[in-house]
Amino acid sequence: LSSITLLTYFSFILVVAFFPKFLGLKISDDSIITIGIPIGVSIILLAFVLTGIYVILANKEFDQIEKKILKKK
């Protein structure tokens, strides 16, 4: 999960650095919204989703491991 997050963030930063005009393209001729805005929002939403997935996995696996450790004491 962390590799997905890092790849996403670094890819976005590389696009900002090397292809800034791409992010400045308008979605349509009538729109004032550029492509960069939905891409940025998508990255933030992806971070929330990946965090939720991590929490679910951590609660399932780590709670069981914790119970086993506490039983041994």
Side-chain angles (χ1 to χ4, degrees):
L1 294 173
S2 60
S3 61
I4 294 170
T5 305
L6 286 173
L7 181 68
T8 305
Y9 285 136
F10 282 125
S11 298
F12 184 71
I13 296 302
L14 289 174
V15 170
V16 169
F18 294 111
F19 305 105
K21 290 186 179 184
F22 171 73
L23 295 174
L25 294 174
K26 293 184 178 182
I27 292 178
S28 68
D29 293 333
D30 299 333
S31 177
I32 61 169
I33 298 175
T34 62
I35 289 179
I37 293 172
I39 291 174
V41 170
S42 298
I43 290 172
I44 293 169
L45 292 175
L46 178 67
F48 277 107
V49 168
L50 292 176
T51 301
I53 291 171
Y54 173 78
V55 168
I56 291 169
L57 291 175
N59 285 340
K60 286 181 181 177
E61 294 179 21
F62 295 150
D63 285 349
Q64 292 175 2
I65 294 171
E66 179 186 11
K67 287 177 185 177
K68 288 178 185 177
I69 292 171
L70 292 175
K71 284 182 183 179
K72 290 181 181 180
K73 288 185 176 184

Coordinates of all heavy atoms in Angstrom, one line a residue:
L1 N 0.8 -1.2 0.0 CA 0.0 0.0 0.0 C 0.9 1.3 0.0 O 0.5 2.2 -0.7 CB -0.9 0.0 1.2 CG -2.0 -1.1 1.3 CD1 -2.7 -1.1 2.6 CD2 -3.0 -1.0 0.1
S2 N 1.9 1.2 0.8 CA 2.8 2.4 0.8 C 3.5 2.6 -0.6 O 3.7 3.8 -1.0 CB 3.8 2.3 1.9 OG 4.6 1.2 1.7
S3 N 3.8 1.6 -1.3 CA 4.4 1.7 -2.6 C 3.5 2.4 -3.6 O 3.9 3.2 -4.4 CB 5.0 0.4 -3.1 OG 3.9 -0.5 -3.2
I4 N 2.2 2.0 -3.5 CA 1.2 2.6 -4.3 C 1.1 4.1 -4.1 O 1.1 5.0 -5.0 CB -0.2 2.0 -4.2 CG1 -0.1 0.5 -4.6 CG2 -1.3 2.8 -4.9 CD1 -1.4 -0.3 -4.3
T5 N 1.1 4.5 -2.8 CA 1.0 5.9 -2.4 C 2.3 6.7 -2.9 O 2.2 7.7 -3.5 CB 0.9 6.0 -0.9 OG1 -0.2 5.3 -0.4 CG2 0.7 7.5 -0.4
L6 N 3.4 6.1 -2.6 CA 4.7 6.8 -3.1 C 4.7 6.9 -4.6 O 5.1 8.0 -5.1 CB 5.9 6.0 -2.6 CG 6.2 6.1 -1.1 CD1 7.3 5.2 -0.7 CD2 6.6 7.5 -0.7
L7 N 4.4 5.9 -5.3 CA 4.4 5.9 -6.8 C 3.4 7.0 -7.3 O 3.8 7.8 -8.2 CB 4.0 4.6 -7.3 CG 4.0 4.5 -8.8 CD1 5.4 4.6 -9.4 CD2 3.4 3.2 -9.3
T8 N 2.3 7.1 -6.7 CA 1.3 8.1 -7.1 C 1.8 9.5 -6.8 O 1.7 10.4 -7.7 CB 0.0 7.9 -6.3 OG1 -0.5 6.5 -6.5 CG2 -1.1 8.9 -6.8
Y9 N 2.3 9.7 -5.6 CA 2.8 11.1 -5.3 C 4.0 11.5 -6.1 O 4.0 12.6 -6.6 CB 3.2 11.2 -3.8 CG 2.0 11.3 -2.8 CD1 1.9 10.5 -1.7 CD2 0.9 12.1 -3.1 CE1 0.9 10.6 -0.8 CE2 -0.2 12.2 -2.3 CZ -0.2 11.4 -1.1 OH -1.3 11.5 -0.3
F10 N 4.9 10.6 -6.2 CA 6.1 10.9 -7.0 C 5.8 11.1 -8.5 O 6.4 12.0 -9.2 CB 7.2 9.9 -6.8 CG 8.0 10.0 -5.5 CD1 8.1 9.0 -4.7 CD2 8.6 11.2 -5.2 CE1 8.7 9.1 -3.5 CE2 9.2 11.4 -4.0 CZ 9.3 10.3 -3.1
S11 N 4.9 10.3 -9.0 CA 4.5 10.5 -10.4 C 3.8 11.9 -10.6 O 4.1 12.6 -11.6 CB 3.5 9.4 -10.8 OG 4.0 8.2 -10.7
F12 N 3.0 12.3 -9.7 CA 2.3 13.6 -9.8 C 3.4 14.7 -9.7 O 3.3 15.7 -10.5 CB 1.3 13.8 -8.7 CG 0.5 15.0 -8.7 CD1 -0.4 15.2 -9.7 CD2 0.8 16.1 -7.8 CE1 -1.1 16.4 -9.8 CE2 0.0 17.3 -7.9 CZ -0.9 17.4 -8.9
I13 N 4.4 14.6 -8.8 CA 5.4 15.6 -8.7 C 6.2 15.7 -10.0 O 6.6 16.7 -10.5 CB 6.3 15.3 -7.5 CG1 5.5 15.5 -6.2 CG2 7.5 16.3 -7.5 CD1 4.8 16.8 -6.0
L14 N 6.5 14.5 -10.6 CA 7.3 14.5 -11.8 C 6.5 15.1 -13.0 O 7.1 15.8 -13.8 CB 7.7 13.1 -12.2 CG 8.8 12.4 -11.3 CD1 8.9 11.0 -11.7 CD2 10.1 13.2 -11.5
V15 N 5.2 14.9 -13.0 CA 4.4 15.5 -14.0 C 4.4 17.1 -13.8 O 4.5 17.8 -14.8 CB 2.9 15.0 -14.0 CG1 2.0 15.8 -14.9 CG2 2.9 13.5 -14.5
V16 N 4.3 17.5 -12.6 CA 4.3 18.9 -12.3 C 5.6 19.5 -12.7 O 5.7 20.6 -13.3 CB 4.1 19.2 -10.7 CG1 4.4 20.6 -10.4 CG2 2.6 18.8 -10.4
A17 N 6.7 18.8 -12.5 CA 8.0 19.3 -12.8 C 8.3 19.3 -14.3 O 8.9 20.3 -14.8 CB 9.1 18.5 -12.1
F18 N 8.0 18.3 -15.0 CA 8.4 18.2 -16.4 C 7.3 18.4 -17.4 O 7.6 18.7 -18.5 CB 9.0 16.8 -16.6 CG 10.2 16.5 -15.8 CD1 10.3 15.6 -14.8 CD2 11.4 17.2 -16.2 CE1 11.4 15.4 -14.1 CE2 12.6 17.0 -15.5 CZ 12.6 16.1 -14.4
F19 N 6.0 18.3 -17.0 CA 4.9 18.6 -17.9 C 3.8 19.5 -17.3 O 2.7 19.1 -17.2 CB 4.3 17.2 -18.4 CG 5.2 16.3 -18.9 CD1 5.7 15.2 -18.2 CD2 5.7 16.5 -20.2 CE1 6.6 14.3 -18.7 CE2 6.6 15.6 -20.8 CZ 7.1 14.5 -20.0
P20 N 4.2 20.7 -16.8 CA 3.2 21.5 -16.2 C 2.1 22.0 -17.1 O 1.0 22.2 -16.6 CB 4.1 22.7 -15.7 CG 5.2 22.7 -16.5 CD 5.5 21.3 -16.9
K21 N 2.4 22.1 -18.4 CA 1.3 22.5 -19.3 C 0.2 21.5 -19.4 O -0.9 21.8 -19.7 CB 1.9 22.8 -20.7 CG 2.8 24.1 -20.6 CD 3.2 24.5 -22.0 CE 4.1 25.7 -21.9 NZ 4.4 26.2 -23.3
F22 N 0.5 20.2 -19.2 CA -0.5 19.2 -19.3 C -1.5 19.4 -18.2 O -2.7 19.2 -18.4 CB 0.2 17.8 -19.2 CG -0.8 16.7 -19.0 CD1 -1.6 16.3 -20.0 CD2 -1.0 16.1 -17.7 CE1 -2.6 15.3 -19.8 CE2 -1.9 15.1 -17.6 CZ -2.7 14.6 -18.6
L23 N -1.0 19.7 -17.0 CA -1.9 19.9 -15.8 C -2.7 21.2 -16.0 O -3.7 21.3 -15.3 CB -1.1 19.9 -14.5 CG -0.5 18.6 -14.2 CD1 0.4 18.7 -12.9 CD2 -1.5 17.5 -13.9
G24 N -2.2 22.1 -16.8 CA -2.9 23.3 -17.0 C -4.0 23.3 -18.1 O -4.7 24.3 -18.4
L25 N -4.1 22.1 -18.8 CA -5.1 22.0 -19.8 C -6.5 22.0 -19.2 O -6.8 21.4 -18.2 CB -5.0 20.7 -20.6 CG -3.7 20.5 -21.4 CD1 -3.6 19.1 -22.0 CD2 -3.7 21.5 -22.5
K26 N -7.4 22.7 -19.9 CA -8.8 22.8 -19.4 C -9.5 21.5 -19.8 O -9.3 20.9 -20.8 CB -9.5 24.0 -20.0 CG -9.0 25.3 -19.5 CD -9.8 26.5 -20.1 CE -9.2 27.8 -19.5 NZ -9.9 28.9 -19.9
I27 N -10.5 21.1 -18.9 CA -11.3 19.9 -19.2 C -12.1 20.0 -20.4 O -12.2 19.1 -21.2 CB -12.1 19.6 -17.9 CG1 -11.3 19.2 -16.8 CG2 -13.1 18.5 -18.3 CD1 -12.0 18.9 -15.5
S28 N -12.7 21.2 -20.6 CA -13.4 21.5 -21.9 C -13.2 23.0 -22.2 O -12.7 23.7 -21.4 CB -14.9 21.2 -21.7 OG -15.5 22.1 -20.8
D29 N -13.7 23.4 -23.3 CA -13.5 24.7 -23.8 C -14.3 25.7 -22.9 O -13.8 26.8 -22.7 CB -13.9 24.9 -25.2 CG -13.0 24.2 -26.2 OD1 -11.8 24.0 -25.8 OD2 -13.5 23.8 -27.3
D30 N -15.4 25.3 -22.4 CA -16.2 26.2 -21.5 C -15.9 26.1 -20.1 O -16.3 27.0 -19.3 CB -17.7 25.7 -21.7 CG -18.2 25.9 -23.1 OD1 -17.6 26.7 -23.9 OD2 -19.1 25.1 -23.5
S31 N -15.0 25.2 -19.7 CA -14.7 25.0 -18.2 C -13.6 25.9 -17.8 O -12.6 26.1 -18.6 CB -14.4 23.5 -18.0 OG -14.1 23.3 -16.6
I32 N -13.6 26.3 -16.5 CA -12.4 26.9 -16.0 C -11.5 25.9 -15.2 O -10.5 26.3 -14.7 CB -12.8 28.1 -15.1 CG1 -13.7 27.6 -13.9 CG2 -13.5 29.2 -15.9 CD1 -13.9 28.7 -12.9
I33 N -12.0 24.7 -15.1 CA -11.3 23.7 -14.3 C -10.3 23.0 -15.2 O -10.6 22.6 -16.3 CB -12.3 22.6 -13.8 CG1 -13.3 23.3 -12.8 CG2 -11.5 21.5 -13.1 CD1 -14.3 22.4 -12.3
T34 N -9.0 22.9 -14.7 CA -8.0 22.3 -15.4 C -7.9 20.8 -15.1 O -8.5 20.4 -14.0 CB -6.6 22.9 -15.2 OG1 -6.3 22.8 -13.8 CG2 -6.7 24.4 -15.5
I35 N -7.2 20.0 -15.8 CA -7.0 18.6 -15.6 C -6.3 18.4 -14.2 O -6.5 17.3 -13.6 CB -6.2 18.0 -16.8 CG1 -7.1 17.9 -18.0 CG2 -5.7 16.6 -16.4 CD1 -6.4 17.4 -19.2
G36 N -5.5 19.3 -13.8 CA -4.7 19.1 -12.6 C -5.6 19.0 -11.4 O -5.2 18.3 -10.4
I37 N -6.7 19.7 -11.4 CA -7.6 19.7 -10.2 C -8.2 18.3 -9.9 O -8.0 17.8 -8.8 CB -8.6 20.8 -10.3 CG1 -8.0 22.2 -10.2 CG2 -9.7 20.6 -9.2 CD1 -8.9 23.3 -10.5
P38 N -8.8 17.7 -10.9 CA -9.4 16.3 -10.6 C -8.3 15.3 -10.3 O -8.5 14.4 -9.6 CB -10.2 16.0 -11.8 CG -10.0 17.0 -12.8 CD -9.3 18.2 -12.2
I39 N -7.1 15.5 -11.0 CA -6.0 14.5 -10.7 C -5.6 14.7 -9.2 O -5.4 13.7 -8.5 CB -4.8 14.8 -11.7 CG1 -5.3 14.3 -13.1 CG2 -3.6 14.0 -11.2 CD1 -4.2 14.6 -14.1
G40 N -5.4 15.9 -8.8 CA -5.0 16.2 -7.4 C -6.1 15.7 -6.4 O -5.7 15.1 -5.4
V41 N -7.3 15.9 -6.7 CA -8.4 15.4 -5.8 C -8.4 13.9 -5.8 O -8.6 13.2 -4.8 CB -9.8 15.9 -6.3 CG1 -10.9 15.3 -5.5 CG2 -9.8 17.4 -6.0
S42 N -8.1 13.3 -7.0 CA -8.1 11.8 -7.0 C -6.9 11.2 -6.2 O -7.1 10.2 -5.6 CB -7.9 11.3 -8.5 OG -9.0 11.8 -9.3
I43 N -5.8 11.9 -6.2 CA -4.7 11.5 -5.4 C -5.1 11.5 -3.9 O -4.7 10.6 -3.1 CB -3.4 12.3 -5.7 CG1 -2.9 12.0 -7.1 CG2 -2.3 12.1 -4.6 CD1 -1.8 12.9 -7.5
I44 N -5.7 12.6 -3.5 CA -6.2 12.7 -2.1 C -7.2 11.6 -1.7 O -7.1 11.0 -0.7 CB -6.7 14.1 -1.8 CG1 -5.6 15.2 -1.9 CG2 -7.4 14.2 -0.4 CD1 -6.1 16.6 -1.9
L45 N -8.1 11.4 -2.6 CA -9.1 10.3 -2.4 C -8.4 8.9 -2.3 O -8.8 8.1 -1.5 CB -10.2 10.4 -3.4 CG -11.1 11.6 -3.4 CD1 -12.1 11.5 -4.6 CD2 -11.9 11.6 -2.1
L46 N -7.5 8.7 -3.2 CA -6.7 7.4 -3.2 C -6.0 7.3 -1.8 O -6.0 6.1 -1.3 CB -5.7 7.4 -4.3 CG -4.8 6.2 -4.4 CD1 -5.7 4.9 -4.7 CD2 -3.7 6.3 -5.4
A47 N -5.5 8.3 -1.3 CA -4.8 8.2 0.0 C -5.8 7.8 1.1 O -5.5 7.0 2.0 CB -4.2 9.6 0.4
F48 N -7.0 8.4 1.1 CA -8.1 8.0 2.0 C -8.5 6.5 1.9 O -8.6 5.8 2.9 CB -9.3 8.9 1.9 CG -9.2 10.2 2.6 CD1 -9.1 11.4 1.8 CD2 -9.3 10.3 4.0 CE1 -9.0 12.6 2.5 CE2 -9.2 11.5 4.6 CZ -9.0 12.7 3.9
V49 N -8.6 6.1 0.6 CA -9.0 4.7 0.4 C -7.9 3.7 0.9 O -8.2 2.7 1.5 CB -9.3 4.5 -1.1 CG1 -9.5 3.0 -1.5 CG2 -10.6 5.3 -1.5
L50 N -6.7 4.1 0.5 CA -5.6 3.2 0.9 C -5.4 3.2 2.5 O -5.1 2.1 3.0 CB -4.3 3.6 0.3 CG -4.2 3.4 -1.2 CD1 -2.9 4.0 -1.8 CD2 -4.4 1.9 -1.6
T51 N -5.7 4.3 3.1 CA -5.7 4.3 4.6 C -6.8 3.4 5.1 O -6.5 2.7 6.1 CB -5.8 5.7 5.1 OG1 -4.8 6.5 4.6 CG2 -5.8 5.8 6.6
G52 N -7.9 3.5 4.6 CA -9.0 2.6 5.0 C -8.7 1.2 4.8 O -9.0 0.3 5.7
I53 N -8.1 0.8 3.7 CA -7.7 -0.6 3.5 C -6.7 -1.0 4.5 O -6.8 -2.1 5.1 CB -7.2 -0.8 2.0 CG1 -8.3 -0.6 1.0 CG2 -6.5 -2.1 1.9 CD1 -7.8 -0.5 -0.4
Y54 N -5.7 -0.2 4.8 CA -4.7 -0.5 5.8 C -5.4 -0.7 7.2 O -5.0 -1.7 7.9 CB -3.7 0.6 5.9 CG -2.7 0.3 7.0 CD1 -1.7 -0.6 6.9 CD2 -2.8 1.0 8.2 CE1 -0.8 -0.9 7.9 CE2 -2.0 0.8 9.3 CZ -1.0 -0.2 9.1 OH -0.2 -0.5 10.2
V55 N -6.3 0.1 7.5 CA -6.9 0.0 8.9 C -7.7 -1.3 9.0 O -7.6 -2.0 10.0 CB -7.9 1.2 9.1 CG1 -8.8 1.0 10.3 CG2 -7.0 2.5 9.3
I56 N -8.4 -1.7 7.9 CA -9.1 -2.9 7.9 C -8.2 -4.1 8.0 O -8.4 -5.0 8.9 CB -10.0 -3.0 6.6 CG1 -11.1 -2.0 6.7 CG2 -10.5 -4.5 6.5 CD1 -11.9 -1.9 5.4
L57 N -7.1 -4.1 7.2 CA -6.1 -5.2 7.3 C -5.4 -5.2 8.7 O -5.2 -6.3 9.2 CB -5.1 -5.1 6.2 CG -5.6 -5.3 4.8 CD1 -4.5 -5.0 3.8 CD2 -6.1 -6.7 4.6
A58 N -5.1 -4.1 9.2 CA -4.4 -4.0 10.5 C -5.3 -4.5 11.6 O -4.8 -5.2 12.5 CB -3.9 -2.6 10.7
N59 N -6.5 -4.2 11.6 CA -7.5 -4.6 12.6 C -7.7 -6.1 12.6 O -7.8 -6.8 13.6 CB -8.8 -3.9 12.5 CG -8.7 -2.5 13.0 OD1 -7.8 -2.1 13.7 ND2 -9.7 -1.6 12.5
K60 N -7.7 -6.7 11.4 CA -7.9 -8.1 11.3 C -6.7 -8.9 11.7 O -6.7 -9.8 12.5 CB -8.3 -8.5 9.8 CG -9.7 -8.2 9.4 CD -9.9 -8.6 8.0 CE -11.3 -8.3 7.6 NZ -11.5 -8.7 6.2
E61 N -5.5 -8.5 11.2 CA -4.3 -9.3 11.4 C -3.6 -8.9 12.7 O -3.3 -9.8 13.5 CB -3.3 -9.1 10.3 CG -3.8 -9.7 8.9 CD -2.8 -9.4 7.8 OE1 -1.6 -9.2 8.1 OE2 -3.3 -9.5 6.7
F62 N -3.5 -7.7 13.0 CA -2.7 -7.2 14.2 C -3.5 -7.5 15.5 O -2.9 -7.8 16.5 CB -2.3 -5.8 14.1 CG -1.4 -5.4 13.0 CD1 -1.4 -4.2 12.4 CD2 -0.5 -6.4 12.6 CE1 -0.5 -3.9 11.4 CE2 0.4 -6.1 11.5 CZ 0.4 -4.9 10.9
D63 N -4.8 -7.5 15.4 CA -5.5 -7.8 16.6 C -5.4 -9.3 17.0 O -5.3 -9.6 18.2 CB -7.0 -7.5 16.4 CG -7.3 -6.0 16.5 OD1 -6.4 -5.2 16.9 OD2 -8.4 -5.6 16.2
Q64 N -5.4 -10.1 16.0 CA -5.2 -11.6 16.3 C -3.8 -11.8 16.8 O -3.6 -12.6 17.7 CB -5.4 -12.4 15.0 CG -6.9 -12.4 14.5 CD -7.0 -13.1 13.2 OE1 -6.1 -13.6 12.6 NE2 -8.3 -13.1 12.7
I65 N -2.8 -11.2 16.2 CA -1.4 -11.4 16.7 C -1.3 -10.8 18.2 O -0.6 -11.5 19.0 CB -0.4 -10.6 15.8 CG1 -0.4 -11.3 14.4 CG2 1.0 -10.6 16.4 CD1 0.4 -10.6 13.4
E66 N -1.9 -9.7 18.5 CA -1.9 -9.2 19.8 C -2.5 -10.1 20.8 O -2.0 -10.3 21.9 CB -2.6 -7.8 19.8 CG -2.6 -7.1 21.2 CD -3.5 -5.9 21.2 OE1 -4.2 -5.6 20.2 OE2 -3.4 -5.2 22.2
K67 N -3.6 -10.7 20.4 CA -4.3 -11.7 21.3 C -3.4 -12.9 21.6 O -3.4 -13.3 22.8 CB -5.6 -12.1 20.7 CG -6.7 -11.0 20.8 CD -8.0 -11.5 20.1 CE -9.0 -10.4 20.1 NZ -10.2 -10.8 19.4
K68 N -2.7 -13.4 20.6 CA -1.8 -14.5 20.8 C -0.7 -14.1 21.7 O -0.3 -14.9 22.6 CB -1.2 -15.0 19.5 CG -2.3 -15.7 18.6 CD -1.6 -16.1 17.3 CE -2.7 -16.7 16.3 NZ -2.1 -17.0 15.0
I69 N -0.2 -12.9 21.6 CA 0.9 -12.5 22.4 C 0.5 -12.3 23.9 O 1.1 -12.7 24.8 CB 1.5 -11.2 21.9 CG1 2.3 -11.4 20.6 CG2 2.5 -10.5 22.9 CD1 2.7 -10.1 19.9
L70 N -0.7 -11.7 24.1 CA -1.2 -11.5 25.4 C -1.6 -12.9 26.1 O -1.5 -13.0 27.3 CB -2.4 -10.6 25.4 CG -2.1 -9.2 25.0 CD1 -3.4 -8.4 24.9 CD2 -1.2 -8.5 26.0
K71 N -2.0 -13.9 25.3 CA -2.3 -15.2 25.9 C -1.0 -15.9 26.4 O -1.1 -16.6 27.4 CB -3.0 -16.1 24.9 CG -4.4 -15.8 24.7 CD -5.0 -16.7 23.7 CE -6.5 -16.4 23.4 NZ -7.1 -17.3 22.4
K72 N 0.1 -15.6 25.8 CA 1.4 -16.2 26.2 C 1.9 -15.7 27.5 O 2.6 -16.3 28.2 CB 2.4 -16.0 25.1 CG 2.2 -16.9 23.9 CD 3.3 -16.7 22.9 CE 3.0 -17.5 21.6 NZ 4.1 -17.3 20.6
K73 N 1.5 -14.5 27.9 CA 2.0 -13.9 29.1 C 1.3 -14.4 30.3 O 0.5 -14.9 30.7 CB 1.7 -12.3 29.1 CG 2.7 -11.7 28.2 CD 2.5 -10.2 28.3 CE 3.5 -9.5 27.4 NZ 3.5 -8.1 27.5

